[in-house]
Amino acid sequence: MKSRIIILIIATAIGSFAVSDCGAQQKKPLFPEIVDVTHATPKAAEFFHSFFTAKSRHNVDATMNDFSNITLTYIDATLGWPFYTHDALKDVFAQYMPKWPPSGLSYPTLILGDEHSALVAFTDRPELFGGEIRALAAIDMKHGKVIRWIDYWDGRHFGVELAAKLRTPADKFPTDFKESTAPDNAAPTIRAVADKLQSAFAGNDPKGAAALFSSNAVYEDMTLRAQVLGRLAIERYLGRALAKLPAGAGSSLLHVVGGDMGGGYEWQAAPAYRASLRRGINAITLDQDAKITRLTTVWDGAMIPDADIKALILLALD
């Protein structure tokens, strides 16, 4: 009898471990759950988690269900791939998604905004398009559907030669990014900050720009692999760099997205860069006083000669 009881206890324990292990496997997330949603509304966080889940499952219909079938603009601003209708975008997803392996994931790392518009940082693993993409996207929504989505990322990080093979020729590169389809989606707070910041950048006013940052703010340029810590250091950096950066003196604001806690804006490059680089984007997080706690910018460094990139990188030296 005693031996039977021991066997029963062991069997029960093994069964419990098996059930526990099975439950753990079932709960394993599809992609890395590392997204920062501290500057996003719950609705925005939920929407984009659902979207990237569908994309990472390579489900064309579920992915496209998050896009408006009435008004839609989706453009890869780095490669110059424009899609101006629901059917056109669905066709390209239908072409690529069935070829992606299970390890081909796409997942968000930062969401800034609300259910009207947002700036989303996300990662596409190399299995999707041949190289890793770390993008910032400006996204506008209406009635719970995406009506405008513009991706920005650095071609040097992806691979200069591979990006060149995929990029639309200069004479056919899109010029209409349909900013007018969602002119007022951004919240007043982020709009006001973006307007003031870009005005200071365009006017080569480092002191005015730095005044918009919190004392412990971070300025990050993904393309130049540069990070500047603190408002005083940021002011010194901008004093050296604004006259030379693509988003500096002479650049202009194109479109703002986001909510009261953060968002960002697309910008047109300074005149010296417009023949090649054209555009970029800034992501902005705000504190309770509407001061910038972090600015992250990205633009296509593959369009700039090596010598010029190196010169810009050196400007980060204090």
Side-chain angles (χ1 to χ4, degrees):
M1 176 64 73
K2 185 180 295 186
S3 62
R4 288 182 179 178
I5 292 174
I6 294 173
I7 293 172
L8 180 60
I9 291 173
I10 294 174
T12 302
I14 292 174
S16 298
F17 286 135
V19 170
S20 175
D21 184 60
C22 180
Q25 290 181 359
Q26 290 175 349
K27 293 179 181 178
K28 183 177 180 181
L30 176 62
F31 48 69
E33 297 282 2
I34 58 174
V35 61
D36 181 350
V37 296
T38 55
H39 294 78
T41 62
K43 285 186 177 180
E46 181 182 359
F47 177 89
F48 289 108
H49 185 275
S50 174
F51 171 81
F52 284 100
T53 296
K55 185 179 176 184
S56 290
R57 286 177 176 161
H58 314 158
N59 187 324
V60 176
D61 290 335
T63 301
M64 290 306 306
N65 188 53
D66 287 325
F67 292 95
S68 170
N69 56 17
I70 300 172
T71 300
L72 179 60
T73 298
Y74 189 115
I75 301 177
D76 187 304
T78 296
L79 297 181
W81 289 7
F83 306 96
Y84 296 117
T85 67
H86 188 275
D87 287 345
L89 182 60
K90 184 174 183 179
D91 286 345
V92 77
F93 278 140
Q95 175 186 349
Y96 280 97
M97 282 187 173
K99 302 175 184 177
W100 292 344
S103 58
L105 303 176
S106 179
Y107 54 90
T109 55
L110 175 67
I111 301 172
L112 308 173
D114 55 29
E115 59 271 26
H116 303 294
S117 67
L119 192 148
V120 177
F122 68 93
T123 299
D124 280 346
R125 287 190 173 171
E127 294 91 332
L128 271 61
F129 299 106
E132 184 180 70
I133 294 176
R134 293 183 177 267
L136 299 182
I139 302 163
D140 287 282
M141 291 167 281
K142 187 175 182 179
H143 303 312
K145 303 288 185 180
V146 173
I147 60 173
R148 184 178 183 272
W149 183 310
I150 313 295
D151 286 337
Y152 293 86
W153 45 277
D154 175 28
R156 282 180 176 267
H157 181 94
F158 179 74
V160 175
E161 293 183 1
L162 179 57
K165 292 177 181 178
L166 298 173
R167 187 180 293 108
T168 300
D171 60 338
K172 296 181 179 179
F173 207 90
T175 56
D176 187 0
F177 283 68
K178 303 291 185 181
E179 291 91 354
S180 62
T181 60
D184 301 315
N185 268 10
T189 303
I190 188 63
R191 183 179 297 281
V193 172
D195 285 342
K196 292 176 183 177
L197 181 66
Q198 182 53 36
S199 178
F201 279 6
N204 195 12
D205 179 9
K207 193 173 190 66
L212 300 170
F213 287 80
S214 69
S215 60
N216 295 305
V218 177
Y219 180 105
E220 176 188 26
D221 191 314
M222 292 171 63
T223 302
L224 298 179
R225 318 295 196 269
Q227 189 180 82
V228 183
L229 306 179
R231 182 175 60 216
L232 297 178
I234 291 171
E235 182 176 342
R236 293 195 298 271
Y237 170 69
L238 294 177
R240 297 187 298 270
L242 279 182
K244 301 174 182 178
L245 288 172
S251 62
S252 58
L253 186 149
L254 293 172
H255 185 65
V256 184
V257 295
D260 290 324
M261 296 179 286
Y265 66 92
E266 300 164 75
W267 44 263
Q268 182 182 40
Y273 292 95
R274 287 179 191 169
S276 55
L277 176 59
R278 301 179 180 87
R279 306 167 64 102
I281 193 169
N282 291 344
I284 298 170
T285 61
L286 301 174
D287 64 15
Q288 60 184 6
D289 298 318
K291 292 289 187 180
I292 300 170
T293 57
R294 189 180 192 95
L295 183 148
T296 301
T297 188
V298 73
W299 41 279
D300 188 8
M303 302 303 293
I304 308 300
D306 291 354
D308 292 348
I309 285 286
K310 291 177 181 178
L312 291 175
I313 290 173
L314 289 176
L315 295 173
L317 295 178
D318 211 342

